[in-house]
Every structure is written in C-alpha cells, then in structure tokens.
Amino acid sequence: MTVPQLPDQVSPLRRRLIEDMQMRHLSPETQRNYLRDVARFAAFLGHSPDRATPEDVRRFQVEQNDAGVPVPSMNSVVSALRFFFTHTLDRPDLARKAVHVAHHRKIPIVLSMEEIAQVLRATRSPKHYAALSVAYGAGLRVSEVSALKVSDIDSKRMLIRVECGKGGRSRNAMLPAGLLDLLREWWKIGRREGVMPADGWLFPGQHPLRPLSARQLHRIVVEAARAADIGKRVGMHTLRHSFATHLLEDGVDVRVIQVLLGHVKLGRVDGFTRAESSLFPS
C-alpha cells in the first residue's frame, strides 16, 4: 500500500493532517480512511473543519445516526475526527465531543478443522492454497497476507515477520512446521514459473511486481468455500477467527493467542471473554 501523496495544490490543513499522520507512522490504509472521514465531516459543514464548533460535531453524529450509518463506520469516523481535532487542530474540546457508539458484536463465524481442510482443497492453484494456509496457519489479517515478502519467512526461528500490521505495528507470527513445508513447495513452483525473486512478494499477483490484493484474496476464499459446498458465509477473516478458536479449544492461554493475533489491548479474542539460501533450505 502506498502512503497518501501531497499534490501541489492541497490545502494547508489537509497537508498538516497528512504530515501529522506520517509523523506518527499510521498505516497507509489508516491515513486514507482518516482523510476520507475528515473530508466527509467538512462536506457536512460546508466550510473548513478548522472552524467547527462542539455543536457541529454533535449535529454531525446525529445526522449519521439518523441516516442509518452502521455503528462500525460511525466509530471509524470518530477515530478519524479525534485524531484530527487532537493532533492537527489542537482542539481537545472538540475531540471530547466525538463519542464512540456502543456496538454489540456478533459472534464470528468459525469453521471446523475439517471445513478448513475442505476450503483449502477447493482452491485452484498452489499459490492460492499457500496464501489461504498462511492466513489460517498463522492467524494473519488479509492485508498482512497480501504484504508478505519472501524475506519475511524466517525458517531458522520458525517465525513470520509481519511488517506494518494493523496500526502500523510490526510483530512476529508463528510458523508451524507443516506451513513451512507448504511454503517451500510454493517457493519451488514460483521459482520455476519465474515469479518469485528472493526479495519479491511471497504471493505475487498477475504482475510479479505487485502482490495479490486483499480483494483478490477475499474472492479466492469465497470461491473456494463455494466450491467446497460450505454453507457458512466465509471470508478471509473467517480463517483468522478459526485460527484463534482452534488454539483456544486446544488449551492455549488467551493472552498468548492475543499476542499471536497482534492485538494491542488485552480483552476478548475474536468472539471470546532475510538471505535466500537460509530462508527456504532444502
């Protein structure tokens, strides 16, 4: 993902917001979302948001609620506005007026281990099989799977290096032995096909210089679940939920699972209270 650029003709306020986000190393996706949401607030006001009042913030949230905006979307806007008010405008009084809405989460859909196996077997290529296996076997987010490079696989320490995960944070994810064997097989196939340079993407897209996108990965898992005749609604995040659930069922401590998932705050877990020769040695 690319960081939002600063075109020649951009307002000083927008420029300042972008600089504030980049200085704090927010992820490119978060930066794009914040820019979109602050622009939405400005459009509601009809003038520059640096002239907003506490009553403007209240009216904006009332209008969103009346328009039927989903609660997660409303809370995402609140996060953007709080950042903007606090760091860019230095208006903590406005930030306090942007309130998160209570959201009762549904219990996530989880696949059994046999259903996971059926989905994987229904994929159409070794690359797709390996990508979905990483999502489940390491509990990665779809954006993290997409961004993996060959050099992120540490076979000596049996870890996957996740660079710039959610919130711009990096971490190490588990690399089970069976998953490493699978990735070695995919490595050999990719090398034969000429799409796997040692410093390239682990799961290249149609063009080797670009990875499989999150949208493509989502389409892959949906098609595989349909081909496997899985009646549940399955997405990439279903694999991550299933990873956490199966570890919990195996008796793994909930705090360990949170670390593996890359969660920052302790709490509920998904529905519950670098040389080429050393990377893939034969």
Side-chain angles (χ1 to χ4, degrees), residues 73-166:
S73 298
M74 291 178 64
N75 287 336
S76 295
V77 174
V78 168
S79 296
L81 293 181
R82 283 185 172 180
F83 182 94
F84 175 66
F85 295 148
T86 300
H87 299 291
T88 302
L89 295 186
D90 192 20
R91 290 286 306 277
D93 60 311
L94 292 182
R96 288 193 296 269
K97 291 298 181 180
V99 296
H100 280 105
V101 182
H103 178 42
H104 302 288
R105 296 176 179 270
K106 296 180 180 179
I107 296 177
I109 294 173
V110 173
L111 301 181
S112 68
M113 296 188 71
E114 176 56 33
E115 288 173 327
I116 291 288
Q118 291 173 6
V119 170
L120 294 178
R121 288 195 296 265
T123 54
R124 297 183 177 181
S125 74
K127 177 171 64 176
H128 296 172
Y129 187 97
L132 299 192
S133 296
V134 167
Y136 169 71
L140 301 190
R141 301 177 176 92
V142 61
S143 60
E144 295 169 345
V145 175
S146 174
L148 285 177
K149 293 188 175 182
V150 174
S151 55
D152 292 327
I153 306 302
D154 188 341
S155 60
K156 290 184 177 180
R157 299 170 62 206
M158 297 302 290
L159 296 172
I160 299 176
R161 181 64 176 167
V162 180
E163 298 284 353
C164 295
K166 187 174 182 179

Side-chain angles (χ1 to χ4, degrees), residues 236-255:
M236 285 295 290
H237 214 62
T238 309
L239 303 181
R240 177 172 159 87
H241 285 308
S242 302
F243 164 84
T245 302
H246 296 163
L247 287 182
L248 196 66
E249 292 173 345
D250 285 342
V252 178
D253 188 275
V254 66
R255 289 165 295 184

Side-chain angles (χ1 to χ4, degrees), residues 164-198:
C164 295
K166 187 174 182 179
R169 295 175 294 269
S170 299
R171 73 179 193 280
N172 289 322
M174 63 188 297
L175 177 59
L179 183 56
L180 176 60
D181 292 339
L182 175 62
L183 290 177
R184 283 173 172 160
E185 290 302 314
W186 161 234
W187 163 259
K188 294 175 184 177
I189 294 173
R191 294 293 280 178
R192 286 200 302 268
E193 295 178 353
V195 298
M196 293 278 284

Side-chain angles (χ1 to χ4, degrees), residues 209-275:
L209 296 181
R210 294 187 176 183
L212 282 174
S213 67
R215 180 174 297 181
Q216 289 172 317
L217 286 166
H218 178 74
R219 184 169 63 248
I220 289 166
V221 74
V222 169
E223 292 177 351
R226 185 181 298 118
D229 200 25
I230 301 295
K232 302 174 183 177
R233 183 176 180 179
V234 177
M236 285 295 290
H237 214 62
T238 309
L239 303 181
R240 177 172 159 87
H241 285 308
S242 302
F243 164 84
T245 302
H246 296 163
L247 287 182
L248 196 66
E249 292 173 345
D250 285 342
V252 178
D253 188 275
V254 66
R255 289 165 295 184
V256 174
I257 300 175
Q258 288 174 318
V259 171
L260 294 174
L261 291 171
H263 288 182
V264 176
K265 297 181 180 179
L266 296 181
R268 296 165 65 85
V269 176
D270 287 350
F272 301 94
T273 70
R274 261 171 208 313

